[in-house]
Amino acid sequence: GLCLQATGVRGLNFQVQDWGKLGYQDAWDRQLEIHQMVRDGGPDTLVFVEHPAVYTLGASFHSENLIHPEAWYAEQGIEIIRTDRGGDITYHGPNQLVIYPIFDLNRHGRGLHPWVRNLEQVILNVASQFGLEPRLFPPHTGVWVGDRKLAAIGIKIKKWISLHGIALNCSNDLSPFGWIIPCGIADYGVTSLSQETGRLVTPDEAKPKVIAAFQDVFSPRSI
C-alpha cells in the first residue's frame, strides 16, 4: 500500500496508509497482514480505503434487515459479505471514507468500550471541523447529526489489536442505505458530510482532518 507521511502533524506516532479503491475482501486480507505486523511490534497503522458497493454483515446481523432477496442486491451491483466485526449490516461504497485503525490496544488502554468511545470522539472532532454539530446517540454507536447517522463504527479486537473501524459518509450516494435497515436501526436516516454542509466534501478532503483527530485523541499534546 501507499504510505503517506502526514504533513504538518508533528510527532505522529502511527503510520498512515492510503489504499485508494480496493475490494472489501482484498482489504480484509490486507488488514490481517497489518494486524500481524503490528502484533510483531510494528507501528500502529491508520488505513484509508474506499470500497466498491458492498453490504457487510456483522456478528449480530439479523436477516430481516436485508429487506430484499439477495439476488435483488446482486442486480443492483452490490456484493454481500459476512464479516467478523461487531454490529449488524451496513453499506460501503465509492466516495465513502472507510477508516481502519489497526492499533495495539496495549498502547492505548485495553478495553473494547473505551476504544469505541475514542473512535466516536475522532469523528466528533472531524465533523466539528466541518462546522457541524455532531452528537452521540446512545445506545446506538456511531456519530450522528440530529437524527441522521453520519458515521458507522464496527470493530473487532483480536489479541488486543483492533480490526475494522469507521465508515464516514462523505460524498457517497446514500440511497443504498434505504435498501436495508442499516445497523438494525429502522427509525432513523443516514447523512453525509456533503449533505450536512451543503457542498461537495470528498474523502480526500476529510483525510487530513481524520489524521489530525486521531493524533489529538490518541496522543494528546502536553500543554
Side-chain angles (χ1 to χ4, degrees), residues 27-103:
W28 194 355
D29 293 342
R30 266 202 220 181
Q31 279 193 76
L32 294 175
E33 291 171 16
I34 294 197
H35 184 278
Q36 185 62 51
M37 181 271 295
V38 173
R39 198 179 159 200
D40 291 342
D44 290 340
T45 302
L46 182 65
V47 172
F48 293 133
V49 65
E50 288 179 55
H51 295 310
V54 60
Y55 291 120
T56 64
L57 315 180
S60 55
F61 169 65
H62 294 83
S63 57
E64 62 268 22
N65 293 328
L66 268 177
I67 55 186
H68 299 287
E70 290 207 14
W72 184 91
Y73 296 101
E75 288 166 15
Q76 315 306 314
I78 303 182
E79 234 185 327
I80 298 175
I81 296 181
R82 293 184 178 274
T83 82
D84 61 352
R85 65 163 171 77
D88 202 304
I89 182 170
T90 195
Y91 169 76
H92 300 306
N95 301 309
Q96 178 196 65
L97 180 59
V98 177
I99 304 158
Y100 294 134
I102 307 174
F103 282 31

Side-chain angles (χ1 to χ4, degrees), residues 3-223:
C3 284
L4 292 183
Q5 288 305 315
T7 51
V9 183
R10 286 178 305 174
L12 205 63
N13 62 351
F14 51 87
Q15 67 167 351
V16 180
Q17 293 191 12
D18 191 333
W19 296 349
K21 294 176 172 58
L22 190 65
Y24 188 86
Q25 189 63 53
D26 289 343
W28 194 355
D29 293 342
R30 266 202 220 181
Q31 279 193 76
L32 294 175
E33 291 171 16
I34 294 197
H35 184 278
Q36 185 62 51
M37 181 271 295
V38 173
R39 198 179 159 200
D40 291 342
D44 290 340
T45 302
L46 182 65
V47 172
F48 293 133
V49 65
E50 288 179 55
H51 295 310
V54 60
Y55 291 120
T56 64
L57 315 180
S60 55
F61 169 65
H62 294 83
S63 57
E64 62 268 22
N65 293 328
L66 268 177
I67 55 186
H68 299 287
E70 290 207 14
W72 184 91
Y73 296 101
E75 288 166 15
Q76 315 306 314
I78 303 182
E79 234 185 327
I80 298 175
I81 296 181
R82 293 184 178 274
T83 82
D84 61 352
R85 65 163 171 77
D88 202 304
I89 182 170
T90 195
Y91 169 76
H92 300 306
N95 301 309
Q96 178 196 65
L97 180 59
V98 177
I99 304 158
Y100 294 134
I102 307 174
F103 282 31
D104 184 345
L105 269 59
N106 291 299
R107 303 167 185 163
H108 303 286
R110 287 188 179 200
L112 186 65
H113 293 291
W115 175 246
V116 172
R117 298 290 87 79
N118 280 333
L119 296 185
E120 288 172 335
Q121 188 59 53
V122 164
I123 300 303
L124 290 171
N125 289 11
V126 170
S128 297
Q129 290 179 63
F130 281 100
L132 305 180
E133 293 185 5
R135 70 183 186 107
L136 301 181
F137 191 13
H140 310 303
T141 57
V143 174
W144 302 68
V145 178
D147 289 342
R148 300 170 301 282
K149 193 171 195 174
L150 176 67
I153 294 176
I155 60 161
K156 182 177 177 68
I157 307 294
K158 185 173 159 189
K159 312 232 182 259
W160 289 112
I161 297 165
S162 60
L163 286 162
H164 303 289
I166 306 167
L168 174 62
N169 296 326
C170 293
S171 50
N172 44 302
D173 177 10
L174 298 177
S175 55
F177 287 104
W179 304 335
I180 59 170
I181 300 175
C183 306
I185 303 167
D187 301 334
Y188 302 101
V190 290
T191 190
S192 65
L193 289 173
S194 295
Q195 187 164 299
E196 294 299 324
T197 58
R199 66 178 183 82
L200 181 69
V201 177
T202 63
D204 281 342
E205 185 181 346
K207 287 170 190 173
K209 292 178 167 59
V210 171
I211 294 170
F214 265 92
Q215 182 70 359
D216 282 344
V217 169
F218 289 101
S219 41
R221 289 183 283 278
S222 54
I223 297 169

